[in-house]
């Protein structure tokens, strides 16, 4: 044993279950439980994960360390942490919302806000109290609408402080919002995952986000591999998540992956909203079994659950039954039969205790008196239980508890400088908890790289998405190239050029509408990840901006190459280069605009409707249908807001800027009038007559209209083509900035 002790580093002597594999950990914990005088060793998830890298000497080393852990519990020079250093307490939580009941045609009569709409207040939480300790699982139960999810949201800091009344403390100290995000995690009811990533890749990207850059990649991979084993996902590690169109993992495996991405950074508190919803009994049991291991690793697990099975009930430590926002029972599952027996309803021996309780609660809710008697009885019962219990004050401050957790390699994702950052008060190193933790685990540029890598990997496995968009651009370009093939320099050629440019510029914007479903599919993934500071919102915006550019370049080059030479546009290689840049700028501005709208509108169909309508208005006011000087003054402002205006005017100037190029000659003046059908001899005679009246000679070859005249007629005289290009690019940047602010404001993910 002394040889083993010499090999152990001083930093890890306080808890020697570090290197204990998961299989042996449960047995080691059971060994400690068998000795009442021996403190329980709390094995953190980080320690279990690190064992993947260190466990190379076989099972004998694991048992030696298990024995060493028991030995160290009796060594005074290496004190073990407190059995339950973290206690989350909540008292008198109250939350209500105002709802519109019905339209009141007489606002003067009845309770109303004065506009004819009668407003009622609905109490979702009414004085809920309780506590959850480290190493325990608390389950919140109740029928639909009882307030389960609302209570989880309240504890997870997902309700605005001004709307939630009561107190939530950790070890007696109020949790600040910034610290709450660092030490906790929230698993949503829906499994929001990228469909084309494998299980291993999904967890690895989560590790890249949640674990600091200072942690070597090898150790991150070791954490991911250990977590895969802990979640029971080894056989599905290389399987894609899947969706409706792609076969992937099962529902239970998806749920465990959702849990895994939120516990990769080893949070102190884990909240889950109905993690077993939609799963069969076996999958549900496996999920809760995983959560029990997470709790035993040194975390507080609080979840809402609809109706647990008998096996799941045996895994839970505390139950909290709700009925229409009121507590009807809180305590241990073992005390449930005694509680209802004293209430006058004995639970049959062969019946599921939670099913009996929920059925009884539903019956009481349907009765005229409701659950008031049960609520009152619970208050009396809890008061009596409190008197009979001896209160033990652990005297563990929040700072000391977090310090102990960091020393056991928990919260590795957030601490700025390791365990030493939270120094003991006696040493004069008072440190504010808020300043001791960094808001994000990684720097700005690292987040951008990881987000970009994940998005490109997910997109690369769905090539049909870009292929369809490229095909649409190619087909549109081919149709335009054949419809407007080799336009001539005639009055009709002028009108055909104007029509080509207007349709081409508007097409580039309409093909950008595909960005709406792309972001909306990621919307809730983004909200889940940013809610607990996985990465910055600005990193997300910049990453998606960068990865969108290569696709825009390919689309622009394809469209420009397909149309420019076939249509016979002017300018040669320089003209083609500017035409390509304008198409690229139009794609950029259109993509940014649609991305911004996708941050405002949350529904795909509504988003498409809004985009199509606004782009139609942009085309209407672009100057193609009606010149700028003919637009009414009260609509002129929309002309300058039109995204189509600037690329449209830019390509027109690129085409018609040559003052030596003639588009209408003397004899062609009559082509756009009824005289266009008369013989050329008559037209020449008319030109001679006009020459005498005008005082200068007008022949059949005299240039009457140049490109500059066409631009002047279209009202394009205010800015150069390069200014039009830069303004189009600037529109794109503006909408990206606006997109960032929509994410900043719209992704608070908190109830009001």
């Amino acid at each position: 044993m002394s040889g083993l002790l010499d090999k152990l580093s001083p930093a890890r002597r306080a808890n020697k279950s570090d290197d204990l594999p998961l299989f042996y950990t449960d047995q080691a914990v059971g060994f400690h439980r068998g000795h009442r005088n021996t403190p329980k060793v709390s094995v953190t998830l980080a320690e279990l994960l690190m064992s993947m890298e260190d466990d190379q000497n076989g099972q004998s080393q694991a048992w030696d360390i298990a024995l060493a852990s028991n030995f160290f519990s009796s060594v005074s020079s290496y004190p073990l942490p407190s059995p339950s250093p973290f206690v989350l307490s909540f008292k008198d939580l109250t939350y209500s919302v105002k709802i519109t009941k019905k339209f009141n045609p007489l606002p003067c009569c009845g309770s109303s806000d004065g506009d004819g709409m009668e407003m009622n207040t609905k109490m979702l939480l009414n004085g809920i109290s309780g506590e959850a300790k480290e190493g325990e699982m608390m389950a919140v139960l109740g029928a639909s609408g009882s307030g389960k999810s609302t209570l989880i949201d309240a504890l997870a800091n997902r309700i605005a402080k001004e709307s939630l009344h009561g107190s939530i403390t950790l070890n007696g100290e109020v949790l600040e919002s910034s610290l709450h995000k660092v030490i906790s995690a929230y698993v949503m009811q829906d499994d929001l995952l990228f469909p084309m990533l494998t299980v291993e890749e999904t967890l690895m990207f989560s590790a890249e986000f949640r674990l600091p850059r200072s942690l070597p990649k090898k150790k991150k991979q070791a954490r991911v591999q250990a977590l895969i084993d802990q979640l029971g996902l080894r056989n599905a590690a290389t399987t894609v998540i899947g969706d409706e169109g792609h076969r992937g993992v099962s529902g239970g495996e998806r749920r465990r992956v959702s849990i895994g991405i939120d516990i990769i950074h080893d949070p102190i508190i884990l909240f889950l909203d109905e993690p077993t919803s939609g799963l069969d009994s076996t999958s549900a049991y496996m999920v809760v079994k995983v959560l029990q291991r997470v709790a035993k690793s040194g975390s507080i697990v609080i979840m809402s659950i609809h109706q647990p099975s008998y096996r799941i009930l045996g895994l839970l430590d505390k139950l909290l039954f709700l009925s229409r926002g009121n507590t009807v029972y809180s305590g241990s599952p073992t005390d449930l039969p005694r509680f209802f027996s004293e209430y006058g309803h004995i639970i049959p021996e062969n019946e599921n205790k939670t099913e009996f309780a929920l059925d009884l609660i539903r019956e009481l809710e349907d009765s005229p008196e409701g659950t008031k008697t049960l609520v009152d009885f619970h208050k009396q019962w809890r008061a009596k239980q409190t008197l009979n219990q001896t209160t033990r004050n652990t005297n563990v401050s929040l700072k000391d508890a977090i310090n102990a957790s960091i020393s056991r390699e928990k919260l590795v994702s957030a601490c700025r400088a390791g365990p030493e950052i939270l120094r003991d008060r006696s040493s004069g190193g008072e440190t504010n908890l808020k300043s001791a933790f960094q808001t994000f685990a990684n720097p700005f540029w690292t987040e951008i790289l990881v987000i970009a890598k994940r998005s490109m990997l997910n997109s690369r496995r769905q090539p049909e998405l870009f292929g369809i968009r490229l095909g649409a651009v190619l087909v549109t370009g081919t149709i335009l190239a054949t419809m407007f093939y080799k336009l001539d320099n005639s009055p009709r050629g002028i009108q055909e050029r104007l029509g080509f440019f207007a349709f081409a510029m508007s097409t580039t914007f309409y093909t950008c509408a595909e960005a709406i479903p792309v972001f909306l599919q990621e919307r809730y993934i983004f909200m889940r990840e940013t809610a607990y500071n996985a990465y910055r919102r600005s990193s997300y915006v910049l990453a998606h901006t960068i990865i969108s550019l290569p696709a825009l370049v390919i689309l622009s080059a394809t469209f420009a190459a397909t149309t420019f030479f076939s249509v016979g546009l002017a300018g040669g290689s320089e003209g083609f280069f500017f035409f390509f840049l304008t198409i690229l700028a139009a794609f950029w501005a259109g993509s940014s605009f649609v991305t911004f709208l996708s941050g405002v509108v949350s529904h795909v169909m509504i988003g498409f409707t809004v985009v199509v309508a606004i782009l139609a208005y942009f085309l209407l006011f672009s100057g193609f249908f009606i010149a700028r000087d003919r637009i009414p003054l009260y609509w002129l402002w929309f002309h300058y807001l039109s995204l189509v205006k600037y690329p449209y005017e830019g390509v027109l100037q690129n085409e018609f800027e040559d003052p030596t190029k003639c588009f209408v000659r003397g004899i062609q003046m009559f082509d756009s009038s009824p005289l266009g059908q008369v013989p050329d001899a008559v037209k020449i005679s008319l030109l001679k007559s006009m020459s005498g009246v005008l005082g200068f000679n007008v022949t059949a070859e005299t240039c009457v209209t140049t490109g500059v005249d066409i631009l002047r007629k279209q009202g394009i005289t205010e800015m150069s083509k390069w200014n039009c290009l830069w303004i189009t690019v600037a529109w794109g940047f503006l909408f990206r900035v606006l997109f960032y602010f929509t994410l900043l404001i719209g992704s608070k993910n908190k109830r009001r």
Side-chain angles (χ1 to χ4, degrees):
M1 179 63 70
S2 60
L4 177 62
L5 299 182
D6 293 336
K7 295 179 182 180
L8 298 174
S9 62
R12 306 181 76 174
R13 290 177 185 174
N15 188 349
K16 287 282 55 67
S17 55
D18 287 73
D19 302 316
L20 207 58
L22 182 62
F23 177 78
Y24 298 105
T25 302
D26 291 338
Q27 300 184 41
V29 171
F31 177 80
H32 284 291
R33 287 177 178 170
H35 297 72
R36 296 185 180 272
N37 297 327
T38 304
K40 170 187 171 183
V41 179
S42 180
V43 185
T44 69
L45 177 60
E47 292 162 350
L48 299 179
L49 296 173
M50 293 301 293
S51 68
M52 289 291 297
E53 187 176 40
D54 300 333
D55 184 23
Q56 298 179 355
N57 295 328
Q59 298 180 358
S60 59
Q61 181 187 14
W63 281 112
D64 290 341
I65 296 177
L67 295 174
S69 298
N70 187 46
F71 172 79
F72 272 112
S73 65
S74 61
V75 180
S76 58
S77 59
Y78 302 107
L80 288 170
S82 174
S84 298
F86 289 108
V87 178
L88 179 69
S89 302
F90 49 97
K91 185 177 181 181
D92 295 331
L93 293 184
T94 303
Y95 174 61
S96 61
V97 294
K98 290 185 177 182
I99 58 175
T100 303
K101 185 176 181 182
K102 61 182 179 180
F103 177 76
N104 186 358
L106 299 175
C108 61
C109 306
S111 174
S112 113
D113 59 358
D115 60 356
M117 302 301 290
E118 187 174 350
M119 304 297 293
N120 282 355
T121 299
K122 182 178 181 181
M123 189 67 67
L124 300 182
L125 297 177
N126 186 17
I128 308 298
S129 300
E131 71 174 21
K133 299 179 180 179
E134 176 184 320
E136 294 182 346
M137 283 197 301
M138 171 184 281
V140 183
L141 297 92
S144 298
S146 61
K148 302 189 301 294
S149 297
T150 304
L151 178 58
I152 297 296
D153 286 346
L155 297 176
N157 192 34
R158 291 165 61 88
I159 297 180
K161 289 184 178 180
E162 58 269 18
S163 302
L164 181 65
H165 303 283
S167 64
I168 302 175
T169 60
L170 185 63
N171 287 31
E173 300 183 27
V174 178
L175 276 176
E176 295 185 13
S177 179
S178 57
L179 181 61
H180 200 296
K181 290 183 178 181
V182 171
I183 67 174
S184 65
Y186 180 89
V187 180
M188 295 182 177
Q189 183 174 348
D190 299 322
D191 300 320
L192 305 172
L193 305 167
F194 284 92
M196 300 311 296
L197 299 181
T198 66
V199 171
E200 184 176 355
E201 290 168 345
T202 301
L203 294 175
M204 190 62 205
F205 279 119
S206 180
E208 294 284 355
F209 286 130
R210 301 298 183 104
L211 304 181
R213 187 168 57 97
S214 58
L215 192 67
K217 187 173 183 179
K218 184 178 180 182
K219 290 191 175 182
K220 291 180 182 179
Q221 292 173 340
R223 282 174 174 262
V224 169
Q225 295 303 321
L227 187 58
I228 288 174
D229 290 330
Q230 186 190 25
L231 296 172
L233 295 170
R234 176 55 58 192
N235 293 332
T238 58
T239 306
V240 296
I241 300 298
D243 56 11
E244 295 82 0
H246 304 85
R247 186 177 180 85
V249 297
S250 66
E253 290 169 336
R254 285 173 62 93
R255 189 63 46 86
R256 279 176 273 160
V257 174
S258 297
I259 295 172
I261 60 179
D262 283 309
I263 65 173
I264 188 70
H265 63 302
D266 209 359
I268 292 175
I269 312 173
L270 179 63
F271 303 100
L272 305 100
D273 186 12
E274 299 200 16
T276 61
S277 178
L279 302 180
D280 59 80
S281 59
T282 302
S283 298
Y285 175 78
M286 292 179 66
V287 167
V288 179
K289 187 67 177 177
V290 167
L291 295 177
Q292 185 188 47
R293 294 179 179 179
V294 173
K296 287 182 178 180
S297 72
S299 298
I300 301 172
V301 177
I302 303 177
M303 61 179 170
S304 61
I305 189 168
H306 188 64
Q307 195 163 337
S309 64
Y310 179 81
R311 292 195 301 167
I312 291 178
L313 185 62
L315 302 177
L316 303 176
D317 300 292
K318 286 186 179 179
L319 302 178
L320 180 62
F321 283 84
L322 297 180
S323 173
R324 295 176 181 174
N326 294 282
T327 305
V328 292
Y329 175 78
S330 61
S332 171
T334 57
D335 293 334
L336 196 62
R338 183 163 59 90
F339 171 80
F340 281 101
S341 176
E342 295 180 12
Y343 181 65
H345 293 76
I346 300 176
I347 301 178
E349 291 184 2
N350 297 327
E351 187 165 350
N352 187 304
K353 293 179 285 188
T354 56
E355 290 183 3
F356 176 88
L358 292 172
D359 291 340
L360 178 60
I361 292 171
R362 290 192 188 96
E363 292 179 7
L364 294 176
E365 288 176 344
D366 295 335
S367 65
E369 298 81 6
T371 57
K372 185 177 184 304
T373 57
L374 183 58
V375 172
D376 294 338
F377 176 78
H378 170 261
K379 291 179 180 178
Q380 299 172 3
W381 190 80
R382 286 300 303 171
K384 184 168 53 176
Q385 294 296 315
T386 304
L387 290 175
N388 295 334
Q389 291 177 353
T390 58
T391 304
R392 185 181 66 177
N393 186 7
T394 58
N395 293 321
V396 179
S397 68
L398 180 58
K399 178 179 292 187
D400 294 336
I402 292 180
N403 186 39
S405 292
I406 294 175
S407 66
R408 291 180 293 145
E409 298 181 353
K410 285 184 77 73
L411 294 178
V412 67
S413 64
C415 190
R416 293 183 185 274
E420 296 80 9
I421 190 65
L422 297 178
R423 294 165 297 201
D424 191 86
R425 297 180 181 181
S426 62
S427 64
E430 188 73 26
T431 304
N432 183 275
L433 279 178
K434 183 177 179 180
S435 63
F437 295 97
Q438 54 189 10
T439 305
F440 299 96
N442 290 285
F444 180 73
W445 61 270
T446 300
E447 295 174 348
I448 294 178
L449 290 177
V450 176
I451 295 172
K453 180 181 178 182
R454 182 178 66 176
S455 296
M456 288 189 294
L457 182 60
N458 191 62
S459 299
R460 192 178 66 190
R461 292 177 180 169
Q462 301 179 86
E464 64 275 8
L465 297 181
F466 178 74
I468 291 173
R469 191 178 179 189
L470 179 62
V473 170
L474 187 60
V475 169
T476 303
T478 302
I479 293 175
L480 291 176
T482 53
M483 282 288 293
F484 298 93
Y485 185 73
K486 297 299 181 182
L487 298 179
D488 57 6
N489 298 333
S490 66
R492 289 186 177 180
I494 295 173
Q495 295 301 319
E496 290 168 352
R497 278 177 170 82
L498 295 177
F500 166 77
F501 287 129
F503 190 87
M505 294 305 105
S506 60
T507 297
T508 58
F509 287 97
Y510 279 111
T511 54
C512 293
E514 58 82 30
I516 292 180
V518 171
F519 173 72
L520 291 181
Q521 288 176 355
E522 298 181 9
R523 182 187 186 96
Y524 294 103
I525 299 178
F526 165 82
M527 293 177 66
R528 184 204 68 210
E529 292 177 334
T530 56
Y532 286 85
N533 296 341
Y535 49 79
R536 299 166 180 83
R537 293 169 178 84
S538 55
S539 300
Y540 180 85
V541 174
L542 281 178
H544 279 264
T545 298
I546 294 172
I547 65 174
S548 67
L549 292 178
L552 298 182
V553 171
I554 295 174
L555 295 175
S556 302
T558 301
F559 187 82
T562 306
T563 58
F564 185 86
F565 299 104
S566 298
V567 176
L569 301 181
S573 58
E574 292 183 3
F576 172 79
F577 181 68
F578 183 83
F579 182 72
F580 161 73
L581 291 180
T582 303
I583 296 295
L584 178 59
F587 271 119
W588 158 251
S591 176
S592 300
F593 171 70
V594 172
T595 302
F596 160 67
L597 282 184
S598 67
V600 177
V601 181
S602 59
H603 195 276
V604 175
M605 294 309 299
I606 296 177
F608 275 120
T609 303
V610 173
V611 167
V612 171
I614 294 179
L615 290 180
Y617 300 148
F618 285 162
L619 179 60
L620 175 63
F621 290 96
S622 64
F624 169 70
F625 294 102
I626 181 172
R628 177 181 57 83
D629 55 0
R630 299 283 296 173
I631 298 177
L633 291 178
Y634 48 82
W635 282 119
L636 196 58
W637 60 273
F638 209 121
H639 171 71
Y640 290 100
L641 291 179
S642 172
L643 293 183
V644 181
K645 162 186 165 64
Y646 300 100
Y648 174 67
E649 292 186 359
V651 292
L652 282 184
Q653 293 187 66
N654 189 55
E655 180 68 17
F656 297 116
E657 67 180 351
D658 187 0
T660 63
K661 191 173 183 179
C662 186
F663 286 90
V664 180
R665 299 189 180 274
I667 199 172
Q668 296 175 326
M669 286 193 303
F670 306 103
D671 290 352
S672 300
S673 68
L675 296 177
Q677 304 299 322
V678 301
D680 290 347
V682 176
K683 295 178 182 178
I684 293 174
S685 177
L686 289 173
L687 289 176
K688 291 180 180 179
S689 300
M690 292 173 60
S691 298
V693 175
L694 295 174
F696 59 86
N697 188 30
V698 180
T699 66
E701 297 300 323
T702 300
C703 184
V704 179
T705 303
T706 64
V708 177
D709 298 324
I710 297 172
L711 295 177
R712 189 180 299 110
K713 184 180 179 180
Q714 295 295 317
I716 304 175
T717 58
E718 292 183 323
M719 60 187 72
S720 67
K721 66 178 185 181
W722 288 103
N723 287 338
C724 291
L725 176 66
W726 300 132
I727 291 176
T728 306
V729 174
W731 272 118
F733 281 107
L734 175 62
F735 284 119
R736 293 287 172 172
V737 173
L738 293 177
F739 176 57
Y740 166 73
F741 283 108
T742 60
L743 298 184
L744 195 63
I745 298 172
S747 62
K748 295 295 184 181
N749 212 17
K750 283 190 177 184
R751 303 193 194 187
R752 295 295 177 185

